[in-house]
Amino acid sequence: MELDEAIEKRRSIRGYTKDPVPKELIKELMEAARKAPSATNRQSWRFLIVQDDDMKNRLQEGITQHFVANAPLIIVCCLDRHAFTRQLIEKRVEELIDANVMSREVANMLYQRKLPQKVEETGIPVSAYLDLGIAVEHIVLKATSLGLGSCWVRMFDQERVSEILSLPLEITPVVLLPVGYPAENPSMRPRISMEEIILGFI
Ligand SMILES: Cc1cc2nc3c(=O)[nH]c(=O)nc-3n(C[C@H](O)[C@H](O)[C@H](O)COP(=O)(O)O)c2cc1C
């Protein structure tokens, strides 16, 4: 499927058939995420693939909307705070220098910043949420192109979901993405007009 068609056809899908999502397709979804761009190439996204029915049932406790646990597959999209430590940032930056993407001069400017040495000292930079958002949308569009439906879900109890999944403290779940073969075919949802989104041409 061409990109234009995937953009056109994508909808938030909240009803799925019982058919499981084949392993090869899950791999394709993860490959689409892996190729996403990120600030200083940090790639701080991590994904937990939940297919186990018991685990999905337990997760219901931390999720407001029931359709999520009814999907054959839930991709728990997380950020890993290890990626924001000096050690890993330097690793990524040196790779960019080797790939002729970044100059030593720019790298040195980055290194002068106060970067956390330990994962316990890290916060989550705003740009990391952008990185994760891009990776999630890569998955969403790839899913559409493979005939799968998905829905971004932010309405969930982060703490409860972390507990149920026994996620380590440095892994923060940010988005849940239920994925499955669509059992509905909704038409396009309302959108504001072009005039409203374009502030102007200067
Ligand atoms: C960041 C984000 C968070 C969202 N959270 C939820 C959610 O918690 N539950 C839900 O049912 N839909 C959620 N959605 C889906 C939106 O409701 C949906 O994208 C919007 O209504 C437009 O519909 P469409 O995606 O079919 O075009 C979310 C979408 C985004 C991008």
Side-chain angles (χ1 to χ4, degrees):
M1 191 186 285
E2 292 297 322
L3 178 64
D4 276 357
E5 198 184 344
I7 290 174
E8 205 58 47
K9 282 196 170 159
R10 185 214 58 81
R11 302 279 181 275
S12 290
I13 297 296
R14 300 182 177 87
Y16 314 92
T17 68
K18 294 256 174 276
D19 303 303
V21 178
K23 218 175 179 176
E24 310 81 68
L25 299 198
I26 300 175
K27 265 198 200 156
E28 287 195 47
L29 298 180
M30 289 298 98
E31 197 52 44
R34 205 169 71 87
K35 293 194 173 125
S38 60
T40 21
N41 209 22
R42 275 180 313 217
Q43 303 160 75
S44 56
W45 47 67
R46 301 290 178 268
F47 303 95
L48 186 66
I49 315 290
V50 181
Q51 290 172 289
D52 180 75
D53 283 335
D54 285 343
M55 183 49 90
K56 281 189 284 176
N57 283 335
R58 288 187 56 207
L59 273 176
Q60 296 244 33
E61 211 186 293
I63 306 175
T64 324
Q65 295 164 291
H66 288 304
F67 76 87
V68 181
N70 289 335
L73 164 69
I74 305 172
I75 304 177
V76 184
C77 308
C78 307
L79 286 171
D80 179 358
R81 285 193 290 117
H82 278 119
F84 315 129
T85 55
R86 171 170 284 273
Q87 192 201 9
L88 280 185
I89 288 175
E90 283 187 8
K91 192 165 183 222
R92 299 283 89 86
V93 166
E94 292 301 318
E95 287 167 355
L96 290 181
I97 293 171
D98 290 346
N100 288 322
V101 175
M102 192 183 281
S103 68
R104 176 62 61 191
E105 198 186 357
V106 171
N108 286 340
M109 274 163 53
L110 275 170
Y111 293 157
Q112 276 164 23
R113 290 198 201 155
K114 196 176 173 293
L115 297 169
Q117 300 280 356
K118 295 182 192 158
V119 70
E120 297 78 22
E121 296 162 6
T122 56
I124 299 180
V126 173
S127 54
Y129 290 104
L130 298 177
D131 296 341
L132 184 63
I134 296 167
V136 173
E137 193 58 14
H138 271 209
I139 299 174
V140 166
L141 288 174
K142 185 71 191 183
T144 306
S145 81
L146 295 171
L148 293 163
S150 65
C151 183
W152 279 74
V153 172
R154 275 282 294 156
M155 232 191 310
F156 69 98
D157 182 334
Q158 260 177 337
E159 262 180 47
R160 198 67 203 102
V161 164
S162 296
E163 263 169 30
I164 295 167
L165 294 170
S166 306
L167 294 176
L169 276 180
E170 62 276 10
I171 302 288
T172 305
V174 179
V175 176
L176 302 179
L177 197 72
V179 179
Y181 289 98
E184 57 180 29
N185 185 18
S187 41
M188 188 175 162
R189 274 58 189 251
R191 287 295 189 268
I192 56 174
S193 67
M194 275 289 191
E195 289 72 30
E196 284 173 279
I197 66 168
I198 299 175
L199 287 176
F201 296 90
I202 297 176

